[in-house]
Amino acid sequence: SDIIPQHILCGLTAEDLTLLLSGGSGDISYERLHGIVNFVNSIGCSQKRLDQFKRWFWRIVKEMNQKERQQLLYFATGSSTLPPLDLTGERTRDRVSITVEIQHDSRSALPMASTCGQRISIPLYRSFQMLKCKLNTALQCQTYNLG
C-alpha cells in the first residue's frame, strides 16, 4: 500500500494487475497472432499436408475467443499479454515469436509447450476435429496448472 494506494487495487483481478504491470494489451487479435507464429516441419511431411495443418490451426485460432487466445499465448510464452505497440504499430519491446513445431502423429499425445523457447510442439493429427480437441485439452490442462 506504500507504492499503490489500496483503493486503486480494490476490485482488480490477478489478470487485471498483470496487464497493468506489463503495459501490454489483453486484446490479442487473430491478425497479431498470425504475425508472430511460424511453423517448423520437423518431420518432413509433404507441403500439401503442412498447408492443411496450417489451415486447420488458423481456423481454430480464428474461432477462439479473447480468453482462449490469451490461454494459447500463455501456453506458448508464459505470458498472457503481448508487448504494447507504439503509434506506428511496431512493438516497443522484445519481439515475440512463437514456433509451432509439427511432430509425428500420435492419437494419444497432447500438444506440448516450451515457454523459454516460445515453442509449441503439436503432433500431425489426422483430422481437424482431433487437432481442435487436443489443443483445447492442452490449453485447459495448463489453466488448471497441470501443464
Side-chain angles (χ1 to χ4, degrees), residues 11-131:
L12 290 179
T13 66
E15 292 81 13
D16 293 335
L17 186 57
T18 299
L19 285 172
L20 288 172
L21 294 175
S22 72
S25 170
D27 296 332
I28 302 168
S29 70
Y30 168 84
E31 291 76 17
R32 204 149 170 220
L33 275 177
H34 200 280
I36 63 171
V37 173
N38 61 74
F39 294 83
V40 173
N41 184 0
S42 59
I43 61 170
C45 67
S46 71
Q47 188 63 45
K48 181 179 178 181
R49 186 68 176 96
L50 177 63
D51 290 343
Q52 180 184 50
F53 179 89
K54 289 179 182 181
R55 281 192 307 273
W56 290 349
F57 179 85
W58 289 121
R59 182 174 157 201
I60 291 165
V61 173
K62 195 167 206 166
E63 293 173 358
M64 288 178 167
N65 62 36
Q66 198 58 237
K67 183 176 181 179
E68 292 165 332
R69 286 191 195 127
Q70 285 178 316
Q71 289 173 333
L72 178 64
L73 184 65
Y74 185 80
F75 184 66
T77 68
S79 174
S80 61
T81 62
L82 287 169
L85 298 173
D86 67 14
L87 295 177
T88 65
E90 295 295 321
R91 285 171 195 76
T92 56
R93 292 192 280 181
D94 295 336
R95 179 163 162 69
V96 175
S97 177
I98 299 170
T99 300
V100 174
E101 181 180 15
I102 298 165
Q103 300 288 314
H104 286 285
D105 181 23
S106 171
R107 293 180 187 189
S108 60
L110 292 174
M112 297 184 309
S114 169
T115 57
C116 293
Q118 298 179 346
R119 179 182 289 291
I120 304 173
S121 298
I122 304 177
L124 187 63
Y125 298 117
R126 297 178 184 191
S127 71
F128 168 80
Q129 204 54 41
M130 184 177 280
L131 173 59

